[in-house]
Amino acid sequence: MLNCLYFKSSTSSSASTQIPNHSQENTPTTQNVSGEFNLTVQANSYSEIRSKIQGLPNSHGEVHLLSPDRECVQEALANTENTTLTRLISTYFNHSETASELCLHLHQRVKQARAMYAPLLELFNLIDSIHIITDSHYDHTFDIFLEFHSNNNPFPDSTNLTNIRTSLTDLKKQLDNRLAKSSSRIRNFRCATTGSAVCLVAMTVGVVAATVAVTVHAIVALAFAAAPVCGAYSERREVARLAQLDAAAKVAYVLNNDLDTIDRLVERLHTAVEGDKLLVRFGLERGRERYPIMEVLKQLCKSHQNFLRQLDDLEEHVCLCFHTVNKARSLLLQEIRNHQTL
């Protein structure tokens, strides 16, 4: 008799062959990323957002899960100057909102996949618990195969994440260009301030040579005190802009990486489902013959644990992405408010 205990004997070797364990790599970058990931998923804020996402009945609650929400962001942006920087930051907020909507849509796809595979998992448990497989079990298996094959693949062969990632890449380039210009302006302000001080000191020395030497120290001190004031306000505003640009560039980069990971996970799951549907179709083509039905069941039982891990990975990264979005939005909004106080 072939049962799932026999099937499970080769599950671990199959899974390890198909999916290498990258956590065993000893590169510092991998260790840092792994450590940061573990800290994030253990945080209370991550657990809270994951509970909220899992409790959603549908994908229409994304705006309510965003923190700060759309109204709060719009209010803050309305109180800023209508500059290129403001428009770029507004673009990031829009992209982050779109990314959240897409992620929650994918979370619904994970739920659909679990529902699609639930009868198969129940069948594996049934076969694993019995001692003799009868004709009724084969008929039951065939009916489950029919139901499984009739379902559409819950995961798209291509996602809109590619479009949003391209937009984020373009946004990152624009922010980097503005960042370079802002840094250059700050250096120019500081050079100008230093130059003005030197010029004033030189003028002071000339005046002192024609007047009374006793007043040298007082005039020099006045020169150094007055020179920085000329560009201090402009420099301070530029430093604030630099902080906003730096924050926006970083969060755009992080969000793009998160979406890239999710995109690859969705692609793997789409391929896995298509492979399982192909197997099931092979079992159905010979009618209710025992041998092809049992061979297909054997292969499905070998791979189902790996498939469930992939579902868990996608669900976790979707929640992680949403957590990252909220964290980034809060950081960026704080930088905007800091700028408004200048």
Side-chain angles (χ1 to χ4, degrees):
M1 181 189 69
L2 296 175
N3 55 43
C4 280
L5 288 176
Y6 170 78
F7 300 158
K8 291 175 183 175
S9 63
S10 57
T11 301
S12 59
S13 60
S14 174
S16 62
T17 300
Q18 295 175 3
I19 304 178
N21 187 359
H22 296 293
S23 63
Q24 293 179 354
E25 296 176 3
N26 294 321
T27 60
T29 302
T30 302
Q31 292 175 349
N32 291 340
V33 171
S34 177
E36 183 70 21
F37 175 80
N38 291 334
L39 288 175
T40 300
V41 297
Q42 293 171 10
N44 291 334
S45 55
Y46 170 80
S47 300
E48 181 179 349
I49 195 66
R50 179 164 186 165
S51 297
K52 289 180 179 179
I53 291 173
Q54 290 176 334
L56 285 176
N58 51 53
S59 60
H60 299 297
E62 61 273 353
V63 176
H64 303 292
L65 291 177
L66 285 172
S67 177
D69 58 20
R70 184 188 304 166
E71 288 73 19
C72 189
V73 169
Q74 290 176 343
E75 180 183 353
L77 291 175
N79 295 325
T80 61
E81 298 178 12
N82 186 20
T83 63
T84 301
L85 171 59
T86 303
R87 290 191 291 272
L88 288 175
I89 291 178
S90 177
T91 299
Y92 170 77
F93 279 120
N94 292 335
H95 286 339
S96 68
E97 192 169 313
T98 302
S100 301
E101 294 172 1
L102 292 173
C103 282
L104 286 179
H105 180 68
L106 288 175
H107 192 269
Q108 295 300 313
R109 296 301 185 99
V110 171
K111 288 184 177 180
Q112 293 173 20
R114 293 192 192 282
M116 178 179 175
Y117 275 79
L120 280 177
L121 299 182
E122 292 176 1
L123 179 61
F124 298 151
N125 292 332
L126 172 63
I127 298 297
D128 195 30
S129 64
I130 61 177
H131 299 288
I132 299 175
I133 301 178
T134 63
D135 289 340
S136 63
H137 293 125
Y138 285 107
D139 289 338
H140 180 55
T141 300
F142 186 86
D143 293 338
I144 289 178
F145 282 180
L146 279 174
E147 180 185 356
F148 181 87
H149 191 263
S150 67
N151 290 318
N152 294 325
N153 191 329
F155 300 104
D157 54 355
S158 62
T159 67
N160 291 328
L161 292 179
T162 303
N163 297 331
I164 190 69
R165 284 175 51 215
T166 300
S167 298
L168 283 168
T169 299
D170 293 340
L171 176 62
K172 175 69 164 54
K173 291 178 181 178
Q174 295 179 62
L175 289 167
D176 285 341
N177 289 335
R178 293 280 300 174
L179 199 59
K181 292 178 181 178
S182 184
S183 298
S184 178
R185 287 195 189 100
I186 292 173
R187 286 195 297 270
N188 290 338
F189 282 136
R190 290 173 181 172
C191 289
T193 300
T194 304
S196 298
V198 171
C199 289
L200 286 172
V201 170
M203 292 174 61
T204 300
V205 172
V207 172
V208 169
T211 56
V212 183
V214 178
T215 61
V216 170
H217 294 294
I219 298 176
V220 171
L222 179 61
F224 272 109
V229 174
C230 300
Y233 180 72
S234 296
E235 180 183 342
R236 193 170 62 187
R237 286 177 64 84
E238 198 62 45
V239 168
R241 291 191 186 97
L242 183 70
Q244 292 181 66
L245 286 164
D246 185 52
K250 286 178 179 177
V251 297
Y253 175 79
V254 171
L255 179 56
N256 199 0
N257 280 355
D258 284 350
L259 295 180
D260 176 58
T261 300
I262 291 173
D263 217 4
R264 285 186 280 110
L265 289 172
V266 172
E267 182 180 355
R268 287 169 56 189
L269 283 165
H270 172 83
T271 302
V273 173
E274 287 300 308
D276 289 345
K277 285 174 69 72
L278 188 63
L279 270 174
V280 168
R281 187 172 67 187
F282 171 78
L284 294 173
E285 285 176 349
R286 303 292 295 273
R288 297 180 182 270
E289 291 186 20
R290 289 190 171 196
Y291 179 76
I293 289 176
M294 191 51 62
E295 285 300 308
V296 169
L297 192 62
K298 182 196 304 183
Q299 294 300 319
L300 291 173
C301 199
K302 283 182 180 180
S303 62
H304 83 281
Q305 289 293 344
N306 185 42
F307 179 79
L308 292 179
R309 281 195 295 270
Q310 291 182 46
L311 282 179
D312 290 341
D313 283 346
L314 178 57
E315 185 176 40
E316 192 167 67
H317 277 85
V318 163
C319 296
L320 180 64
C321 183
F322 213 105
H323 176 266
T324 301
V325 163
N326 280 354
K327 194 173 179 180
R329 288 167 69 91
S330 297
L331 170 67
L332 203 48
L333 192 64
Q334 186 58 50
E335 289 295 343
I336 292 173
R337 287 171 174 165
N338 290 341
H339 177 61
Q340 291 171 345
T341 60
L342 296 178

